[in-house]
Amino acid sequence: MAHPSQLGFQDAASPVMEELLHFHDHTLMIVFLISSLVLYIIVAMVSTKLTNKYILDSQEIEIVWTIVPAIILIMIALPSLRILYLMDEINDPHITIKALGHQWYWSYEYTDYQNLEFDSYMIQTEDLNPGLFRLLETDHRMVVPMQSPIRVLVTAEDVLHSWAVPALGVKMDAVPGRLNQTAFIISRPGIYYGQCSEICGANHSFMPIVVEAVPLEHFESWSSLMLEEA
């Protein structure tokens, strides 16, 4: 969960998000080193009146400043491609959930169960219980078991939406007439918040996403209770 004046990302709750955080730190360090070098060169050129004649015309320096940037780009590209393939990898999901975007709420269908589906609306501010987050809490959470591969099929009924949960490293567009899929594994129990990340109309800011990760036995109890209510 993000907090006021936070500068970095939310704590990772999935292996993919951990990889994304490591890649961010790796790339940021490269950018910091390049920026420091450029700043040093600018200060040195401005503060000294001396001129090195070997820098004015040097074949060796031209070779260096051509090869070094290429090496740096390769150092960035290889881990980036690895994470892209990891994010597309879906291996034998334990549960498949269909997330359907509407104006302006989400519907969830647990396709492995019969008649286990519900709508998820934002709780209005005047109806919030103490301790709940304004504009982020919903009347029905998407409950999933922790440490299990979860596949989410994302689509929309009316306009473009986007199903995004930052702590899980998940963001998938919901396109009417098209079924996109994403997957994640939640490392620990908790409640993870997200919002629609595609401008979808007047109430775009009021269709939050709440994913609750629980142990497997608690998930089985919850699903049995939901099926009885249905």
Side-chain angles (χ1 to χ4, degrees):
M1 180 66 193
H3 56 79
S5 70
Q6 178 175 331
L7 297 180
F9 293 98
Q10 298 182 26
D11 292 338
S14 69
V16 168
M17 190 59 191
E18 290 179 2
E19 293 289 340
L20 289 172
L21 289 179
H22 292 156
F23 175 68
H24 169 266
D25 296 341
H26 166 74
T27 308
L28 193 63
M29 183 56 64
I30 293 176
V31 172
F32 175 76
L33 294 175
I34 294 174
S35 302
S36 301
L37 176 61
V38 172
L39 180 61
Y40 168 76
I41 293 173
I42 292 175
V43 171
M45 292 179 64
V46 171
S47 60
T48 181
K49 297 181 181 179
L50 301 176
T51 302
N52 190 331
K53 65 179 182 179
Y54 295 107
I55 295 181
L56 296 179
D57 184 17
S58 174
Q59 190 72 30
E60 291 79 8
I61 289 181
E62 292 183 4
I63 293 174
V64 169
W65 71 37
T66 300
I67 294 178
V68 170
I71 295 174
I72 293 174
L73 290 176
I74 292 173
M75 292 173 59
I76 295 174
L78 291 181
S80 175
L81 289 173
R82 174 177 171 270
I83 295 176
L84 281 175
Y85 280 104
L86 283 176
M87 295 176 70
D88 282 338
E89 195 73 27
I90 299 178
N91 289 324
D92 191 22
H94 293 178
I95 294 177
T96 298
I97 304 171
K98 182 180 178 182
L100 183 61
H102 308 267
Q103 289 181 311
W104 287 274
Y105 63 95
W106 293 96
S107 297
Y108 297 103
E109 302 174 11
Y110 288 69
T111 59
D112 300 286
Y113 296 83
Q114 190 172 8
N115 298 325
L116 181 49
E117 56 185 57
F118 52 85
D119 297 330
S120 180
Y121 291 89
M122 185 190 76
I123 300 178
Q124 299 299 321
T125 303
E126 57 271 15
D127 299 327
L128 282 175
N129 293 324
L132 297 182
F133 295 105
R134 175 178 169 270
L135 301 182
L136 286 177
E137 196 60 63
T138 60
D139 57 354
H140 291 93
R141 296 170 175 170
M142 189 184 102
V143 181
V144 297
M146 57 175 284
Q147 296 180 350
S148 298
I150 309 297
R151 175 171 56 187
V152 181
L153 305 177
V154 184
T155 187
E157 187 184 51
D158 35 47
V159 298
L160 291 175
H161 299 280
S162 184
W163 198 84
V165 183
L168 304 181
V170 173
K171 183 179 184 296
M172 182 57 65
D173 289 341
V175 183
R178 176 170 179 170
L179 205 60
N180 294 326
Q181 70 174 353
T182 185
F184 55 85
I185 300 174
I186 301 182
S187 306
R188 60 181 184 274
I191 301 172
Y192 307 99
Y193 295 91
Q195 289 179 302
C196 176
S197 297
E198 188 73 48
I199 296 177
C200 56
N203 292 331
H204 158 68
S205 303
F206 307 112
M207 49 183 303
I209 300 159
V210 184
V211 178
E212 182 176 358
V214 297
L216 181 59
E217 55 271 18
H218 293 180
F219 173 78
E220 291 174 344
S221 300
W222 172 84
S223 60
S224 299
L225 181 62
M226 292 292 290
L227 288 171
E228 290 175 2
E229 294 179 355

